Amino acid sequence: MDASRIRTEEDLREALKGHSEFEIEVYVTTFKIPKGKVSTYSRIAKLVGRPKAFRAVANTLNKCSLWPIVPCHRVVASNGRFTGTEKGAASRRKLIRDEGVPIKGGRVVISDDILF
DNA sequence: CCCGTGACCGACT
DNA sequence: CAGTCGGCCACGG
């Protein structure tokens, strides 16, 4: 499938046909995060109705085959840290910074203003 | 169905 | 403030 043709939430859901309901909700929710804002695994988990499934959320996002359609780089750990391999972390850190999100000491400065 | 595997989290030491 | 430790959940083998 051609991910670049995805524009709306419906397109996304259609493209995700076959995936589990959980994964679809995670992707759709992440898809809604506006530029310049970020969210955390735990918040996403709560938004999809599974407050304690934050770990499963991380699993889903790390695959994130739909990037950059789904801005999975805007999801960080609750302490503002970029998780994963140093390579991937650095990459997402740059994207986030370019979107105007405050970074301090390599960590996202979490605040209500930029939190989705 | 059990088991290992995470881009996790919060409490506790 | 840095580690450690359970507990969580979905997924694939």
Side-chain angles (χ1 to χ4, degrees), chain A residues 1 15-24 27 60 65-66:
Chain A
M1 92 178 124
L16 289 171
K17 271 282 198 298
H19 290 240
S20 69
E21 190 63 29
F22 177 78
E23 291 188 336
I24 294 178
Y27 279 124
T60 299
S65 55
L66 270 41

Side-chain angles (χ1 to χ4, degrees), chain A residues 35-99:
Chain A
K35 177 186 172 206
K37 293 212 172 196
V38 299
S39 193
T40 70
Y41 298 103
S42 135
R43 287 175 81 83
I44 296 290
K46 177 175 278 189
L47 290 174
V48 300
R50 289 206 169 57
K52 316 212 173 193
F54 43 78
R55 200 165 187 181
V57 171
N59 269 335
T60 299
L61 255 40
N62 108 315
K63 297 175 188 175
C64 199
S65 55
L66 270 41
W67 184 91
I69 303 304
V70 174
C72 51
H73 61 282
R74 296 191 188 133
V75 183
V76 299
S78 61
N79 59 4
R81 228 179 164 53
F82 289 90
T83 47
T85 65
E86 185 45 46
K87 184 176 163 111
S91 169
R92 285 171 314 193
R93 182 161 47 231
K94 178 177 179 359
L95 288 171
I96 288 292
R97 181 159 45 74
D98 290 345
E99 293 183 347

